[in-house]
Amino acid sequence: MLKQVICINWGTKYGPRFINRLYAMVARNITPPFSFTCFTDNEEGIRPEVDCQPLPPLDFVMPKNTKGKWPKARLWSPTLGDLKGPVLFLDLDLVITGSLDEFFTYGDPDRVILARNPAKPFERLGQTSVFRFPVGKLVELQRIFLADPQAVADEYRFEQRFVTMNAPGGVDLFPKAWVRHFRYQCMLPFPLNLALPPRLPQGAKVVIFPGGVHPEHAIQGGWVRREGWTLGQHLKGLAERHADGSRWRYLRHYMRPTGWVADHWKE
């Protein structure tokens, strides 16, 4: 069976360094044969092993004042290049720490299967950082979204909630241990975060990075816009005005350099 992996890139936030590392991590953690397709608006700098395809066309105005990644609605198109059947979507800013093979054999190939979202423990919410679906299965979602993108975004806020609640036939979820959230499930609580680096949970195959922190921040330590800061610099900054809000929130927003991220997030 050909294992089909896809990702999507638009704009300049991520680009080649993320795409190329993602491909390398996939290649190291999958049993061939496999394909790796990136739907992108710019192929420059992307390694030749990646099958670059144009972004699926979609005529809509992006919703405003929403945290959801609504450009992912392009993935809900009736066709995705020349791909057929189940595809495994991966966000560009995740880290692969184990074999991906079981993501292709788990459950029914005709089902939509998402990672679990630990940010909402009391809501059965999927996480679209890692999810598998048959090409064309989600076209009804695209139809609903395009009828009024702003209204859909206002109601659901995040595209993953929209997918979870409206996917035809419902959704299944991958086992909890396979996909872990870096900030919620790898970083240690305060004050342990000041002394010890984030941990890699046992059994994790993929670690996702929602919320602004991405692998480069974890490798350097510190925090977003404070990359590489020592503990002394972090504590000194407590007396200053900062973008983190309260001092309590600021104290929690610190991590030691994370060696296992550096070990995995590389070409």
Side-chain angles (χ1 to χ4, degrees):
M1 178 187 71
L2 177 67
K3 303 177 181 74
Q4 301 179 124
V5 179
I6 67 170
C7 64
I8 189 169
N9 175 71
W10 65 88
T12 58
K13 183 177 180 179
Y14 295 107
R17 75 183 189 280
F18 283 84
I19 298 166
N20 293 341
R21 282 171 174 76
L22 181 61
Y23 172 84
M25 289 187 291
V26 168
R28 289 194 296 269
N29 291 283
I30 200 169
T31 302
F34 76 96
S35 64
F36 185 99
T37 303
C38 180
F39 297 98
T40 180
D41 55 4
N42 186 356
E43 300 182 21
E44 186 176 354
I46 299 175
R47 57 193 295 169
E49 299 95 329
V50 176
D51 176 25
C52 291
Q53 299 272 352
L55 289 173
L58 208 59
D59 184 17
F60 73 106
V61 176
M62 270 290 295
K64 297 178 175 60
N65 301 317
T66 178
K67 293 183 177 181
K69 300 299 186 289
W70 294 100
K72 284 185 179 180
R74 295 177 182 276
L75 300 173
W76 310 336
S77 297
T79 60
L80 291 175
D82 57 358
L83 302 178
K84 306 291 183 183
V87 294
L88 180 68
F89 172 81
L90 301 175
D91 265 351
L92 293 175
D93 59 351
L94 54 70
V95 174
I96 300 172
T97 58
S99 173
L100 295 175
D101 289 349
E102 288 186 287
F103 286 96
F104 293 92
T105 58
Y106 183 83
D108 189 324
D110 290 329
R111 297 284 291 173
V112 178
I113 309 181
L114 293 83
R116 298 169 185 264
N117 192 322
K120 304 291 182 182
F122 300 110
E123 181 180 359
R124 187 180 182 272
L125 182 62
Q127 171 66 254
T128 58
S129 293
V130 180
F131 79 115
R132 197 187 78 207
F133 63 98
V135 173
K137 177 83 172 187
L138 300 177
V139 67
E140 179 63 13
L141 295 187
Q142 193 176 87
R143 186 192 66 78
I144 297 171
F145 174 70
L146 291 180
D148 194 338
Q150 188 65 54
V152 171
D154 289 344
E155 178 177 357
Y156 294 95
R157 293 193 66 212
F158 299 96
E159 86 291 337
Q160 53 210 16
R161 181 178 284 117
F162 179 59
V163 174
T164 302
M165 298 182 68
N166 294 279
V171 302
D172 296 329
L173 301 175
F174 286 120
K176 180 179 179 180
W178 290 8
V179 182
R180 295 294 189 168
H181 190 299
F182 180 77
R183 288 188 299 116
Y184 290 171
Q185 297 173 313
C186 298
M187 285 189 61
L188 298 173
F190 176 81
L192 294 177
N193 65 306
L194 303 180
L196 299 172
R199 65 186 184 92
L200 177 61
Q202 185 175 3
K205 300 173 183 290
V206 176
V207 177
I208 59 176
F209 284 75
V213 174
H214 61 63
E216 289 179 323
H217 301 130
I219 292 169
Q220 296 177 60
W223 201 251
V224 183
R225 295 181 298 277
R226 303 194 298 272
E227 294 87 345
W229 276 30
T230 66
L231 178 57
Q233 289 174 304
H234 178 65
L235 295 177
K236 183 179 179 181
L238 185 62
E240 303 172 2
R241 294 177 62 87
H242 42 73
D244 296 67
S246 71
R247 291 185 174 187
W248 169 244
R249 182 178 173 88
Y250 174 84
L251 281 172
R252 291 187 290 114
H253 282 183
Y254 179 80
M255 57 190 164
R256 293 282 189 173
T258 311
W260 56 263
V261 174
D263 292 341
H264 293 284
W265 198 70
K266 62 184 180 182
E267 289 196 56

